[in-house]
Amino acid sequence: MTGVESPAYVPGHGLLKGRTAVVTAAAGAGIGGAVARRFLEEGARVLISDAHTRRLKDHESALAEEFGPESVAALPCDVTDEDQVRALFDAAVAAHGRLDVVVNNAGLGGTAHLADMTDDQWNRVLDVTLNGTFRCTRAALRRMRDTGGGVIVNNASVVGWRAQAGQAHYAAAKAGVMALTRCAAIEAAAYGVRVNAVSPSLAMHPHLVKVTSAELLEELTAREAFGRYAEPWEVANVIVFLASGYSSYMTGEVVSVSGQHP
C-alpha cells in the first residue's frame, strides 16, 4: 500500500492569544514538543516541563530564540513526584496570575507480555501514564477552580480502546486516562473548566523512527487508512482545537486522532 504524503503545515491563527498554558513531557520532537510550538504559534504563553532536564533546557532555548523569551519558560518536573507537580503549577500561576490551559502529555510505554511482566514494569507505566495525569489534573483543577475556569487536555491512545499484545500495562493506563477524563469533566463543569482527551493511533517523529524496527513500522502503518503515521503536529492541531474556544461546548470527550482501518 502506498502511503499518502503528509499535508502542508497549518499556520497559526491566534486561537490561544493571551492564554497561559502548561505542557508536560514537552522536551524533544514528539507530541508534547509539537504542542508547545503550536501553542506559541497560536499566541499562548507556554511553560514546558519534562523529566529530562538537558533536553528541556535545549528545547526552551530553541523556542525562546524563535518566539521570544517572554513567551516560553521551562521547569523540570517528574509527574510521579507530587512536590514537583505542585511546584510546576505554582510557577505557572505565580508568573502570570492564572492558568488557562494544561496539556497532560507525560506517559511511559514499553513492551512486555502479561505472563512475563513484573510488578515493577506494571507499576512504573501506570505511575507515569495514569497517576501522573491524575496528579497534574488535580493540581490544575485546584488552581482553575480558584481563578474561574480553564481547559485540560489529556493524551490518551487508541490502545486504550483496541487490544495489542505486549501492551497490557500501557493499554490499562490509557483506558484509565479516558475514564479519568470523563469523570473529571463532570466535576470540573461547575468551575467552568473543560476536560477532554485526544486518542492518537500512530504518531512518529524522526528520532522515534530510528529506534523502531522497519518490520514493526511497516506493520503499524499498514493499519492506517493513509498508509502513513501521523506527524506530531497533526495531533497537536487537535489539541489546539480542544484548548480553544472552537470547542467551547465539548467536555468529557475522547477525540480519536486516527486513520486506522476498522
Side-chain angles (χ1 to χ4, degrees), residues 24 79 104-107 126-139 152-155 173-174 176-177 180-181:
T24 66
V79 297
N104 289 316
N105 177 64
L126 264 72
D127 199 20
V128 174
T129 307
L130 178 55
N131 297 346
T133 300
F134 154 70
R135 292 184 189 98
C136 292
T137 299
R138 178 176 61 186
I152 299 170
V153 184
N154 297 324
N155 192 2
K174 290 299 190 180
V177 169
L180 172 65
T181 297

Side-chain angles (χ1 to χ4, degrees), residues 3 75 107 167 169 188 191 199:
L75 186 67
Q167 296 296 309
H169 46 1
Y191 319 139
S199 177

Side-chain angles (χ1 to χ4, degrees), residues 173-260:
K174 290 299 190 180
V177 169
M178 294 177 183
L180 172 65
T181 297
R182 290 188 287 265
C183 292
I186 295 301
E187 296 181 15
Y191 319 139
V193 177
R194 297 189 296 109
V195 188
N196 292 293
V198 293
S199 177
S201 56
L202 181 63
M204 303 285 283
H205 54 83
H207 301 310
L208 191 56
V209 169
K210 288 179 182 177
V211 297
T212 304
S213 71
E215 294 78 14
L216 178 58
L217 190 56
E218 183 178 358
E219 176 189 344
L220 293 174
T221 54
R223 301 176 188 174
E224 302 294 317
F226 295 129
R228 66 172 179 87
Y229 50 78
E231 301 291 342
W233 61 264
E234 292 181 286
V235 180
N237 284 348
V238 181
I239 294 174
V240 167
F241 163 72
L242 291 174
S244 77
Y246 280 116
S247 60
S248 59
Y249 199 66
M250 290 179 64
T251 197
E253 298 295 333
V254 180
V255 180
S256 177
V257 189
S258 170
Q260 288 198 346

Side-chain angles (χ1 to χ4, degrees), residues 11 24 60-61 78 87 100 105 110 145 186 239:
T24 66
E60 178 195 15
S61 297
D78 178 348
D100 299 301
N105 177 64
R145 176 182 58 190
I186 295 301
I239 294 174

Side-chain angles (χ1 to χ4, degrees), residues 39-59:
F39 274 28
L40 288 164
E41 291 169 345
E42 296 292 349
R45 299 180 298 263
V46 181
L47 174 59
I48 59 175
S49 77
D50 205 287
H52 301 279
T53 304
R54 182 188 59 79
R55 289 197 336 224
L56 179 65
K57 188 64 178 176
D58 290 345
H59 198 213

